[in-house]
Amino acid sequence: MLDTDIAAHESDSPKEYPVTKITDIDTEKIYENLSTQIKEYNSKAQLRLIKKALTVAFDAHKDQRRDNGEPYITHPIEVARILISLKADSATICAALLHDVVEDTPVKLSQIKEDFGEEIATLVEGVTKIEGIHFDSKEDYTAENIRKVLLATTKDIRVILIKLADRLHNMRTLKYCAPEKQKRISEETLHIYAPIAHKLGIFRVKGELEDLCLRYLNPDVYRFLTHKISEKRAEREKVAAKIIQEIQETLTEKGVRAKVYGRAKYFYSIYKKMQKKKLDVDQVYDLIALRIVTKAIPDCYAALGVVHDLWMPMP
């Protein structure tokens, strides 16, 4: 998921990239791909409405481009993909596709309300309002204040989900921006949006946001970690899944009532542990985090015994 090519840091200005023509984008194929993913978790999704939102967004943004030269429509489509991976409902996906239409194009909120209904229009309006949050004084403009205002003024938590997905895609494509913009957006993301993702329990989004921030705020550390931890995160996720399955099966065989959870740790998490405990990366052994949740305290000790039978404990 993370691109380890960090050459963008080594230049004082953004690179030039080949430009994709708007006519090269096959909206029908994109819709088919999105609808296939949506149907995997929501058989009652409002697919016609989602297709309509894609069409409206495509027409509204057709003359706009992103910093990397790509047609702007690629952004709301990728925001929708992120939300689909989080199993978002139909209204959230429609609002994701339309989230920049009111702010960046001549399309009015009243038109969104007329075409898509009150619910979707309210979500789009909520995302638009977030962009307009300002404070009266410089002293009030702190990360804590902004987080509080974002959470307090949002009537529907789905607005925050859309904004997190919007920020995640912007971070994924930040390498196309100038270095000073990379650092400014990364600072904002690390101190405002990653903590919100943590507060909402969306740890996959939190982890990727923090890793991307590390890439731009401390590129030497990021480069060092990617070099030292040769396994890509996807490979470590496979190892984690295999270990989880092994522990879960053994617990079941032994009659221990427990559920095993786990994940591969993100680079930023490893970096913070190195800082906190003053460790070298070679001293950080827990690149995979596991958690066993049991029904009762005696099961905790039984689960620990199962783990010690499977692997030799370290002193």
Side-chain angles (χ1 to χ4, degrees), residues 25-303:
I25 297 177
D26 186 342
T27 54
E28 191 63 38
K29 190 173 180 180
I30 290 168
Y31 166 72
E32 288 175 7
N33 180 264
L34 294 179
S35 62
T36 298
Q37 294 175 56
I38 293 166
K39 284 186 283 189
E40 288 178 1
Y41 69 89
N42 185 3
S43 60
K44 297 180 180 179
Q46 296 174 282
L47 295 177
R48 287 186 180 180
L49 198 62
I50 291 169
K51 186 174 185 179
K52 183 179 178 181
L54 176 61
T55 302
V56 170
F58 183 85
D59 290 340
H61 292 299
K62 63 184 177 183
D63 295 324
Q64 297 175 332
R65 293 195 173 274
R66 305 198 78 220
D67 288 339
N68 63 348
E70 291 287 324
Y72 194 88
I73 188 61
T74 58
H75 172 63
I77 288 170
E78 290 307 313
V79 172
R81 285 193 205 281
I82 291 168
L83 289 162
I84 289 168
S85 74
L86 298 174
K87 300 184 179 180
D89 64 6
S90 300
T92 307
I93 296 166
C94 287
L97 290 166
L98 298 165
H99 78 276
D100 279 333
V101 163
V102 173
E103 185 180 7
D104 296 337
T105 79
V107 176
K108 303 294 184 186
L109 186 64
S110 57
Q111 185 180 332
I112 299 295
K113 190 178 295 184
E114 183 180 336
D115 292 344
F116 295 94
E118 184 75 35
E119 182 182 17
I120 292 171
T122 300
L123 293 176
V124 172
E125 182 183 25
V127 178
T128 304
K129 282 183 176 178
I130 285 177
E131 295 299 327
I133 290 176
H134 298 289
F135 292 89
D136 294 331
S137 67
K138 188 176 180 181
E139 290 73 24
D140 291 337
Y141 208 88
T142 64
E144 182 62 27
N145 270 351
I146 295 170
R147 287 199 300 271
K148 285 179 179 177
V149 169
L150 283 175
L151 293 171
T153 59
T154 303
K155 297 176 183 177
D156 192 321
I157 199 66
R158 291 176 295 177
V159 171
I160 294 292
L161 294 181
I162 295 167
K163 186 58 192 175
L164 286 174
D166 169 72
R167 179 52 60 109
L168 178 54
H169 182 247
N170 283 333
M171 288 299 299
R172 286 177 179 175
T173 55
L174 198 61
K175 63 182 177 181
Y176 301 114
C177 299
E180 62 273 12
K181 187 174 181 180
Q182 291 172 350
K183 290 182 179 179
R184 176 177 57 80
I185 293 175
S186 295
E187 287 280 4
E188 183 182 77
T189 301
L190 185 63
H191 297 299
I192 297 170
Y193 291 101
I196 289 175
H198 176 81
K199 188 179 285 286
L200 296 177
I202 315 171
F203 299 114
R204 183 154 53 88
V205 171
K206 169 188 177 282
E208 190 179 349
L209 284 175
E210 289 178 336
D211 273 7
L212 288 165
C213 290
L214 181 63
R215 173 180 173 177
Y216 295 107
L217 295 175
N218 204 329
D220 291 337
V221 169
Y222 184 84
R223 188 186 293 109
F224 173 75
L225 288 173
T226 55
H227 174 71
K228 295 291 281 187
I229 304 169
S230 56
E231 282 183 317
K232 291 184 178 178
R233 194 166 183 282
E235 293 167 351
R236 287 186 286 125
E237 287 286 9
K238 289 179 183 176
V239 173
K242 186 177 178 182
I243 293 171
I244 290 167
Q245 183 181 358
E246 187 173 358
I247 296 173
Q248 189 70 67
E249 289 175 353
T250 309
L251 288 170
T252 303
E253 287 171 10
K254 301 288 186 181
V256 181
R257 300 170 300 166
K259 179 68 178 174
V260 187
Y261 304 90
R263 59 182 170 79
K265 284 194 171 181
Y266 287 88
F267 288 130
Y268 186 78
S269 174
I270 297 166
Y271 167 63
K272 291 295 285 184
K273 182 164 188 174
M274 288 168 58
Q275 276 194 319
K276 185 178 180 180
K277 297 195 174 184
K278 295 180 171 57
L279 299 174
D280 183 77
V281 70
D282 294 325
Q283 297 173 289
V284 179
Y285 298 108
D286 51 340
L287 301 182
I288 293 172
L290 297 174
R291 176 176 294 164
I292 302 176
V293 181
T294 65
K295 294 285 187 182
I297 290 175
D299 291 326
C300 288
Y301 295 100

